Structure formats: C-alpha cells, structure tokens
Amino acid sequence: MKRSSNFRVLKQKGIGISMLTCYDYPSAKIQDACGIDIIFVGDSLATNVLGYDHQNDLRLEEMRHHVRAVARGISRAYLLADLPYLSSSDLPTILSAAEQLRLDGVDGVKVEGFRPEVFEALAKTEVEPWAHLGFTPQLIKEPAMQAKDSASAEQLVKECQALEAAGAVGIILELIPESVAGRVAKTLEIPTIGIGAGSSCDGQVQVWHDLIGLETHVYRHAVRLCDAHKKQTSAVEAYKRKVVKKEEF
Ligand code: KIV
C-alpha cells in the first residue's frame, strides 16, 4: 500500500493535513514529535539555510545531505523532498535523482510545473510523485497570485486533473484564489495542500523559517507563530555581554 494513501483517508474524513518544510535533524525531531503529517525538505533550503540567492542554485548533493539529516530525526512522519531544479531537465536525470533521494529516506518527491510524462514515469517507481502548481518558484520569478481569471483557473483545474490521472499522489497549490483551490480540492481524490490558497485545501504547508520567525522578511502568505530571530538575537547579545564583562554563567 502507498504510504500516501493515509492522506486520502484524512481528506475523506475532512481532517486537515499538516505539512512543514524542514532542513535539519533537530527541527525534524520537533516536527515529528508534534505530529506533523508531512515533513518536507523544500528547495527553499537553498535560500533559507545555505545562503544562495535563488532556490534553483541548489545541487542534488546538497539536498541529499539535508534529506539524510532530516530522515534521522523522523520516526513516523511522511518524508517529502523537492526535486532540485538542476536535476529536473530530462527524464533519466529526474528518475536517477528520485532514486538517490529514495535511498536517502524520502517517501515522495515534489516536481514543480505541468509535466504529466514525469508523473507517469515516477508513478512506476518506488518514489511517490507530488505535484506543485499555481505559483511555482522554480519556474516563475516573482511571487504573484496565479489563476486569477476564469480561463487560467479553468486551465489550472484541468492540469490538476491530468496530473492526478498521470499518477500524482498529492498536489501543492501555491498562491491561487481560495475559490479555485476549493474547486480543485472538490474535483480531485488526491489531497491538495495549500500555501496562500485559502482554507478550502485539504491541508496546509508553511515554510519552517517563516513559521518560527527565523527570517526577518515576512511574505504575505507566511504564517508566523513565533519570533525566533528576536529570541536568538537577545540570547547571543546576552552571551556576548557576559563574556565581555567576564561574568559567571
Ligand atoms: O521549497 C519550498 O519551501 C516550497 C514551499 C513553499 C511549498 O516549495
């Protein structure tokens, strides 16, 4: 049985599916212990952790290194990883990257954009393919709402249906109107996981650094529930003060 079939059950029961990006072992342990359903090594690893200007600069070896660290921190959650842009040019490269990520511990890989042939090929392997439509950071430069008019909304719904038919086990919908996301969720059997797509998706995903407030910039669709940047800064400042004054700890 597919590991992702559990998410279809949650969808049928109307129970929201929780997903968070994750890039390291300690954060994976926290997320796993808190019951996050899908722990996702997104290619935002490149900008949030490795200091690149763009996620498309991420190399497969770098993704694999972090996937292995996250895998070590998980005992129950589903582990999903982004297929890096640099490994997504053609089918043999994609299949080889997906297999390497599987060996590192992933249950599924996420592929951005409308590429049914990739889903058909991946569906025959042991790695479960997840789709990502709407705003796709690997393919569209600036974050902006997608599928705003009825023609592009119609096209998005059709593409989601086609990717489900091609073997996608779930679909991430980023920055699309709630009404369109609701239509997609209704028409598909596989779960839809939204970010900036309203609450009618079957689940939600957020970027870990946004959620805990490690980033100083805040995207419009980011949910911030903590201010880790402020807390870390004051801890480091306090430490520095104590060391300078030769105070005891
Ligand atoms: O890499 C990432 O963080 C993502 C999420 C925004 C879904 O793809």
Side-chain angles (χ1 to χ4, degrees), residues 34-237:
C34 291
I36 293 301
D37 297 304
I38 304 171
I39 296 184
F40 168 50
V41 188
D43 61 4
S44 49
L45 162 69
T47 47
N48 285 338
V49 174
L50 301 181
Y52 286 119
D53 286 337
H54 198 276
Q55 65 266 42
N56 288 4
D57 296 328
L58 185 73
R59 287 179 290 121
L60 180 63
E61 307 85 84
E62 293 166 323
M63 175 56 104
R64 293 190 64 192
H65 179 75
H66 285 263
V67 161
R68 288 195 293 269
V70 170
R72 284 180 211 115
I74 294 182
S75 61
R76 39 143 298 278
Y78 184 98
L79 178 55
L80 179 67
D82 248 329
L83 185 74
Y85 175 77
L86 294 175
S87 300
S88 65
S89 53
D90 55 77
L91 212 44
T93 309
I94 293 171
L95 291 175
S96 156
E99 174 57 11
Q100 291 177 65
L101 290 166
R102 186 188 71 81
L103 294 173
D104 294 330
V106 304
D107 298 294
V109 292
K110 175 169 84 56
V111 180
E112 289 189 22
F114 182 62
R115 301 176 76 181
E117 71 293 351
V118 172
F119 285 83
E120 277 161 15
L122 280 172
K124 293 184 191 126
T125 72
E126 288 178 58
V127 189
E128 299 187 329
W130 287 71
H132 184 162
L133 290 181
F135 170 63
T136 47
Q138 288 185 3
L139 310 170
I140 303 174
K141 261 198 171 156
E142 290 302 322
M145 203 67 161
Q146 306 293 308
K148 282 194 292 193
D149 57 74
S150 59
S152 53
E154 198 57 44
Q155 189 186 337
L156 182 88
V157 174
K158 284 203 176 113
E159 289 184 356
C160 291
Q161 288 168 331
L163 290 181
E164 178 175 67
V169 299
I171 183 155
I172 313 306
L173 295 172
E174 183 163 0
L175 280 179
I176 63 167
E178 167 144 29
S179 57
V180 182
R183 257 183 81 193
V184 175
K186 269 209 187 91
T187 163
L188 300 188
E189 278 177 29
I190 58 171
T192 60
I193 312 286
I195 173 162
S199 55
S200 46
C201 290
D202 304 304
Q204 296 292 326
V205 57
Q206 277 291 315
V207 172
W208 176 242
H209 282 44
D210 293 339
L211 183 86
I212 65 167
L214 259 176
E215 283 298 323
T216 44
H217 66 264
V218 186
Y219 289 110
R220 206 159 45 92
H221 58 293
V223 173
R224 172 170 286 201
L225 298 178
C226 169
D227 196 340
H229 184 269
K230 208 169 167 182
K231 286 187 175 154
Q232 289 187 357
T233 304
S234 49
V236 175
E237 283 169 351

